[in-house]
Amino acid sequence: VERDDHRIVPLGDVAREDERQHRAVEDDRRRRRRIGHRRQVVDGGDGGGDGKQQSEGEEEKKQQQGGAGGDDDELGEEIEQYHLQSYLAQLRRRVVVIQDEITRTVRSHSAQRSKTEKAVADARSAIQELFNKIKAIKDKAETSERMVQEICRDIKSLDYAKNHLTATIRALHNLHMLVSAVDQLTFMSSRKQYKDAARLFGAVDLLFTQFSQYNDIPQINKLLVTVEGTKRELQQVIFQDFRDFRPSGGIGMMDSTIEMLHDGCSVIDVLGGDSRAELLDWFCERQLASYTPVFGPGMEGGTLDQTERRYSWWRRMMKEYEDTYQGIFPRHWHVPAILSKHFCDTTRGHLTRILQAEQGEFDVNVLIKTLQKTIDFEKALSVRYRMYGANGGRGGGRGGAGGGAANLDRYFDSDEHEAAAVVEAIKSKYADKDKDGAHHGGGGGGAGAGAGRGTANINHRNGDQEVSIDFTNIISQCFMPHLGGYVQLERGNIRELIERINSEEVWLPNDVDTNKPRLAGSDELLLYIKKSMKRCAKLTRGKIFFNIVKEYERGMLLYIDVLRSHLCNADDPNELDRAAILSHCQIINTAEYFMEILPDLQTSIVRIIDEDLADQVDLSPEIEQFGALAQSGVTSLVAGIHASLSKHLTTMVKMPWATWEEVGDTSAYVHRIQQTLQSSVSVVASAFSRAYFINFCTTLVEMFVPQYVENIFKCKRINDLAGQQLALDAHSLKNIIMDVPNTTPFGSDEEKSQTVRVPRRFKRFVTNEMGKAEYMLKTLVSPPERIIQTYVTLLPDEAKSARAAEQLARLMDLRGIRRSDQQQLIATYNSTCAPADRITAATESPTTIRKLFSFK
């Protein structure tokens, strides 16, 4: 039976256990009934003795209590005995279950051990059987291998014999071919059959590669020596044929000789080594043999002014080559290019010695002209031999750099366009010869190099080496160390140009012409720089070009000094009329124009100059100098206009303010100030850009308003009516000054349709400064006993400053208050205010105060 705790117990044990539990439960029930009956008897005896006497009742009560105590003890013992028996029964059941589990476990382990032992024995038997089978297979394999080796031994012997026989037959065949080829080569060499000999040389070289490991064999070595001797002999014969060649025979004889020499070039190609280079060097020396006696240093044509004749001589030489030798030399030898290279090297040596001999004595103009002719000649060579590619030369080098230079198109035309035009002209010159298949050496495929540096790879086929010929600066490089005079020439030209501009420029135009915003000299200077850059770029783009750029910078600084000399002295200015005002405006606009154009000029220079010098080009100092010139021009212009306004302020000071009798309309000096501003500022507005015009207005007001306030204090006495009149004038001046940025440009026939937006900074300055003037005038007309209080109320910032006492003293002097009364007024005010707000009485005399504020 499976119990609740999943234990399996025999059915008889379960029955016995249930019977014991049933008996125990019955005994417990009988015990409980007996105990309950006893308690009822005890409770009934206690309630039935109410009619007896007290003494009997007490005695019976004691006896009943004693009997009840005995029953309780017996009940407790029975309960304890019951629980103990129940616990023992549980232990017995647990022991029985554990014994059953132990028995089953032992039996199970015994059965498993016997099965394991049997499985192990079976496995050992299977392994032994497998080992025996493997051993048998191995033995059979070894037997089979021995049988195969015995069978193949004879086959291998036969195969080796076949290979050796085949190699021997092939070697004998190649040897026969080699011996025959060497014999034929010797025969053809003796008969000068160069074309067939060239083909045989290739076959002989190929056959000799088959016997490269047998060179120690006497027969092979003898053949090799024979071939080498034939090569040397044949080379000498071909060289002698070239030496003996004279282009003066008949037409038939010439054709056969040219064909023979052409075949000889094929042999020279096959011979390899330095044979071709040696032949070409000899040929170039022969062609240039008559060049040095005519154009060498100290000879008839050995001067700089005869350089053009050199290039004419080269053209005649190339014409002679095309007529005589173009059918002799193979096209891939590029003989015209190599011959031109020798000519250029020789010419460079001649010119170098001539320049060194005439150091410091040659004419710079002749030098520049010669250099230009030389560069044109180099470009012609580069185009003729396809050295410059499609773009026509160096102009394509860094043409994409600096897109900002497009703004200079009106002054600086792209040098690449001019170079391209030269290239196209040279190409058209030789177009007919190219179409006819004329032999120019560099016409073969692959001769063109990338645009920009004029370099081409020419394969001379000497061990497949490639020789690079660069005609760029191949001759002109000898001029570079001697171009210092060219830099000095440019410096002198720029200086002369600046002096001419200074003398011919219209600095004070008679009529105000607003169509000329800047000076004409600025365009002349930039035009000269443009032409100079183009000239120099054709000659050199290296250090000399960089030095000339430095001369441009020096010239612009000289021009700045010239412009600054025509500005009025800001420390001691004179009145400016309309022509002088326009002149100042043109100078400022010219400086602004240079500030705009110089960054683009720098970009153009960087695009043209060599890359290793591009980082050193910097025009920022000149840009800063032009900026400083523009600011100085504005300051001088403002000072000149302010000088015109100062005389009206002097008129204001001289008016009889102490005896003023009535307050009327705006005073006459205010109208004259308005007229002066209108006439002067209108010219400026017509000439300046909006940004510079606002800057000008701000600077003018910043100079005029403090001077106006100072001139108020220069008045001797001001009565109440005069103070009111001055306050009215100050308000009118404030409106006039606030409207200065809206002045109509001079010469404009149209009225302003709308006011221009005035900057906040301008409004704030005018409001603050003119407001101070108005408040001071209001303080001035207040009652004497209230003057200090009014000053503190209207000008709190001024009252807290260190100059409050001096300003109060000046105001009270204008009001006519005596010094003793001033001290008493200050003392009265100080007694009514906090210590921090007290004003210290001024101890300086009026003369000292006037000196302090620069009174005149």
Side-chain angles (χ1 to χ4, degrees), residues 538-585:
K538 294 177 181 178
L539 303 178
T540 175
R541 304 189 181 195
K543 188 63 176 180
I544 298 300
F545 186 83
F546 179 77
N547 293 337
I548 292 178
V549 171
K550 289 298 181 182
E551 296 304 323
Y552 300 156
E553 297 175 3
R554 186 178 289 106
M556 285 185 282
L557 293 179
L558 290 175
Y559 188 57
I560 290 174
D561 294 338
V562 171
L563 295 178
R564 186 176 281 110
S565 65
H566 289 278
L567 296 175
C568 72
N569 187 1
D571 297 330
D572 188 16
N574 297 322
E575 296 185 20
L576 300 178
D577 55 9
R578 286 185 175 179
I581 293 174
L582 180 60
S583 177
H584 278 66
C585 293

Side-chain angles (χ1 to χ4, degrees), residues 169-306:
I169 294 173
R170 185 183 300 111
L172 290 175
H173 179 69
N174 292 336
L175 180 61
H176 176 70
M177 292 176 60
L178 179 60
V179 172
S180 299
V182 171
D183 293 339
Q184 291 180 18
L185 182 61
T186 304
F187 175 76
M188 292 177 181
S189 300
S190 62
R191 300 292 297 273
K192 294 186 178 182
Q193 297 178 2
Y194 297 141
K195 186 174 184 180
D196 296 333
R199 290 197 296 267
L200 277 178
F201 269 122
V204 169
D205 291 338
L206 181 61
L207 289 172
F208 266 119
T209 59
Q210 305 293 329
F211 297 96
S212 58
Q213 56 184 345
Y214 306 113
N215 289 337
D216 296 336
I217 299 176
Q219 184 66 23
I220 301 300
N221 190 23
K222 182 179 179 181
L223 291 175
L224 183 60
V225 171
T226 302
V227 171
E228 292 297 331
T230 303
K231 286 183 177 179
R232 288 192 298 271
E233 181 182 355
L234 195 57
Q235 178 179 344
Q236 294 175 1
V237 172
I238 294 173
F239 277 25
Q240 187 61 40
D241 290 341
F242 271 96
R243 294 188 185 96
D244 297 339
F245 174 70
R246 295 291 184 272
S248 58
I251 298 177
M253 184 180 299
M254 280 284 297
D255 292 341
S256 62
T257 304
I258 289 174
E259 183 179 1
M260 180 187 66
L261 293 178
H262 180 74
D263 295 339
C265 291
S266 301
V267 175
I268 295 297
D269 250 347
V270 175
L271 293 179
D274 297 330
S275 301
R276 189 173 80 180
E278 183 179 352
L279 177 61
L280 290 179
D281 290 341
W282 169 85
F283 178 75
C284 292
E285 291 176 1
R286 177 179 176 178
Q287 293 300 109
L288 297 174
S290 62
Y291 177 64
T292 300
V294 178
F295 296 99
M299 301 301 175
E300 178 186 358
T303 57
L304 287 179
D305 54 358
Q306 299 293 323

Side-chain angles (χ1 to χ4, degrees), residues 391-456:
N391 290 337
R394 293 181 47 172
R398 296 200 311 272
N407 296 330
L408 290 174
D409 288 344
R410 54 188 174 183
Y411 296 105
F412 297 96
D413 297 331
S414 177
D415 190 49
E416 284 76 12
H417 297 296
E418 182 175 352
V422 174
V423 170
E424 292 301 327
I426 298 174
K427 284 184 177 180
S428 62
K429 180 178 180 180
Y430 299 100
D432 296 337
K433 297 179 181 179
D434 290 340
K435 292 179 180 179
D436 296 337
H439 182 62
H440 297 313
R453 303 306 305 170
T455 302

Side-chain angles (χ1 to χ4, degrees), residues 411 496-502 504-506 518-532 559 593-594:
Y411 296 105
E496 293 177 1
L497 175 64
I498 298 298
E499 293 175 355
R500 183 171 59 81
I501 290 174
N502 188 23
E504 297 179 0
E505 186 71 70
V506 180
R518 60 180 179 271
L519 297 172
S522 62
D523 294 331
E524 292 184 23
L525 179 59
L526 288 174
L527 181 61
Y528 177 83
I529 292 176
K530 167 211 169 180
K531 293 181 178 179
S532 176
Y559 188 57
Y593 174 71
F594 270 93

Side-chain angles (χ1 to χ4, degrees), residues 476-523:
S476 59
Q477 58 180 308
C478 67
F479 290 88
M480 299 307 153
H482 306 279
L483 287 180
Y486 179 45
V487 178
Q488 298 296 330
L489 178 64
E490 287 292 337
R491 178 183 299 177
N493 291 340
I494 293 175
R495 185 181 295 110
E496 293 177 1
L497 175 64
I498 298 298
E499 293 175 355
R500 183 171 59 81
I501 290 174
N502 188 23
S503 61
E504 297 179 0
E505 186 71 70
V506 180
W507 299 106
L508 293 175
N510 296 327
D511 297 329
V512 179
D513 188 359
T514 58
N515 294 325
K516 296 181 179 180
R518 60 180 179 271
L519 297 172
S522 62
D523 294 331

Side-chain angles (χ1 to χ4, degrees), residues 113-129:
R113 182 174 61 185
S114 61
K115 293 180 180 179
T116 303
E117 292 176 353
K118 184 179 179 182
V120 170
D122 294 340
R124 288 177 178 175
S125 176
I127 291 172
Q128 184 63 34
E129 183 180 357

